[in-house]
Amino acid sequence: MSAGRRLMFVVNNPAFFMSHRVPVALAAQRAGYDVHVATMDGPAVADIQALGMTHHAIPMTRSGKHPLQELGTLLALVRLFRRVRPDVVHLVTIKPVLYGGIAARLARVRGMVAAISGLGFVFLSNSLKMRLVRSVVARLYRIALGHPNSRVIFQNANDRDLLKSLGAVRDAQVVMIRGAGVDLDAYRALPEPPAPPVVVTMVARLLRDKGVQEFVQAAGLLRQRGLPVTMQLVGGVDAGNPASATQSEVDAWQRDGAVQALGERSDVAALYAASHIAVLPSYREGLPKSLIEAAACARAVVTTDVPGCRDAIEAGETGLLVPVRDAQALADAIARLAEDPALRQAMGVAGRALAEREFNIERVASIHVALYDALSA
């Protein structure tokens, strides 16, 4: 049905495409789409090409501080769309959505899918500078999402309502999909390991707005209580991000001994299998992949009562919600689950059921392919 149609993903970085979008791209390929991927350059480009997908390198910076470079990204996308002539473009994360959406209109691409996986720190801060940036970004969203034949995928209701209030999306465009999906065969529900100690795992880039500082503080509070827990941080320092912890901070946490910093890992399913509780004290998310994976692995969750995080759990059933930026509340919730194995395990079972119902990657991929078909018909 889709034979000969050309689909192009635009993502900031090739490693993110490989970790978050490959199952959807493979489903489109199986449905007959010729799949192209436009990202910055990077080691994972070879992995994309090995899947039989055509890769296009585009200039894209991590920051948005140099207007001429930003304009260069936009013009590169216009030229690419005009040359390759995709039937549908699928734009993922903030810059690809903003620049790719404008470029798709300028290049008259037939159909556009924009995936809003969180609105970023521009919508977190209330400083005067950020309020000014926000007014510019709001205008860009209105232009980028104004494509007449388009769908906008939201992972949580807050992001949808915010962009609707800015006049950036129409009701007819909105599609709600809770997260990027998870492979239920790769992330299996296994029995908890023996306890004590109760192993508590946070999987995230080590950014302040992921709540990494609160996690470390909660670890100190739990150690003071003498609770037999092992607090694990899984994720890397992100040197290009101003909100990142520094390597010297991570080294200091390690020396202090309240947390174990395991660095970046690719064996997240095995780490959850060896854990009892998954934690993410983030300040705001689209819909966090780490919590979807924890649910699939039947692990109880402690996370913050903020957009995205609260959408990844069923509060009181698959996990506990705590106030944002509150290390004491975080420590109390972890202690509650650590000391109540029956509650923890019941939440894990409910989490797996939630994953099977909402997060199954096969379901998520089939919804995407149906969108591509409708937009390219």
Side-chain angles (χ1 to χ4, degrees):
M1 181 168 71
S2 315
R5 292 186 202 168
R6 197 165 286 156
L7 167 67
M8 182 180 287
F9 288 85
V10 183
V11 185
N12 55 3
N13 135 359
F16 181 87
F17 174 81
M18 289 301 299
S19 64
H20 283 69
R21 286 295 181 274
V22 159
V24 170
L26 289 171
Q29 214 176 35
R30 287 192 298 273
Y33 282 90
D34 173 19
V35 177
H36 292 240
V37 183
T39 72
M40 298 186 320
D41 217 342
V45 166
D47 301 329
I48 293 170
Q49 291 168 329
L51 296 172
M53 297 171 191
T54 307
H55 182 268
H56 306 271
I58 45 170
M60 201 181 290
T61 61
R62 290 289 305 275
S63 75
K65 292 177 181 166
H66 304 288
L68 285 176
Q69 284 182 331
E70 304 304 295
L71 186 61
T73 302
L74 174 61
L75 293 175
L77 285 169
V78 173
R79 284 195 296 269
L80 178 63
F81 292 168
R82 283 181 174 154
R83 189 178 84 243
V84 177
R85 304 196 64 74
D87 294 284
V88 182
V89 292
H90 184 158
L91 316 170
V92 184
T93 69
I94 296 165
K95 275 196 184 183
V97 165
L98 292 176
Y99 301 157
I102 295 168
R105 294 184 71 182
L106 291 172
R108 302 186 174 226
V109 173
R110 190 191 307 180
M112 181 190 90
V113 175
I116 308 292
S117 50
L119 291 172
F121 67 90
V122 170
F123 289 90
L124 272 177
S125 168
N126 241 344
S127 68
L128 176 62
K129 180 184 170 193
M130 276 305 150
R131 287 206 300 273
L132 291 171
V133 171
R134 203 148 52 223
S135 69
V136 174
V137 170
R139 190 165 293 134
L140 287 176
Y141 270 119
R142 283 196 286 272
I143 300 167
L145 301 179
H147 191 294
N149 184 38
S150 60
R151 296 291 180 275
V152 183
I153 297 171
F154 291 95
Q155 299 185 337
N156 69 68
N158 285 75
D159 290 348
R160 175 197 65 198
D161 295 345
L162 183 54
L163 285 188
K164 276 177 69 174
S165 74
L166 297 174
V169 286
R170 313 178 296 280
D171 279 334
Q173 288 173 289
V174 171
V175 179
M176 298 296 296
I177 302 177
R178 282 171 78 172
V182 62
D183 182 341
L184 295 175
D185 294 327
Y187 291 81
R188 292 183 296 139
L190 297 173
E192 282 188 352
V198 169
V199 180
V200 181
T201 300
M202 174 176 170
V203 178
R205 285 178 300 153
L206 303 185
L207 308 180
R208 275 185 282 286
D209 52 11
K210 297 285 183 189
V212 66
Q213 235 117 21
E214 288 80 1
F215 185 82
V216 174
Q217 289 161 7
L221 293 167
L222 292 168
R223 182 169 61 177
Q224 285 168 20
R225 289 191 202 182
L227 205 67
V229 295
T230 300
M231 301 282 281
Q232 293 186 155
L233 265 178
V234 179
V237 168
D238 185 351
N241 192 313
S244 180
T246 63
Q247 192 55 53
S248 59
E249 283 177 303
V250 177
D251 294 342
W253 297 336
Q254 262 305 48
R255 282 195 303 276
D256 176 60
V259 300
Q260 295 179 4
L262 305 187
E264 274 194 77
R265 296 280 289 262
S266 57
D267 58 340
V268 171
L271 287 168
Y272 278 145
S275 304
H276 301 82
I277 303 167
V279 171
L280 185 68
S282 181
Y283 299 175
R284 187 186 180 110
E285 294 282 330
L287 199 122
K289 189 163 180 274
S290 65
L291 296 188
I292 292 176
E293 291 169 347
C297 292
R299 293 299 176 258
V301 166
V302 178
T303 192
T304 35
D305 191 3
V306 298
C309 292
R310 71 169 80 100
D311 300 272
I313 74 165
E314 304 287 341
E317 288 180 33
T318 71
L320 301 175
L321 290 177
V322 297
V324 71
R325 302 173 197 251
D326 189 336
Q328 184 66 60
L330 183 63
D332 290 344
I334 292 168
R336 183 180 164 200
L337 290 180
E339 293 170 335
D340 191 341
L343 174 65
R344 189 173 72 227
Q345 289 161 18
M347 285 183 164
V349 170
R352 176 67 187 192
L354 172 66
E356 290 173 355
R357 194 168 67 246
E358 293 279 345
F359 304 144
N360 182 353
I361 188 58
E362 289 171 17
R363 173 181 172 272
V364 169
S366 68
I367 293 170
H368 280 84
V369 173
L371 286 178
Y372 305 148
D373 288 347
L375 293 170
S376 61

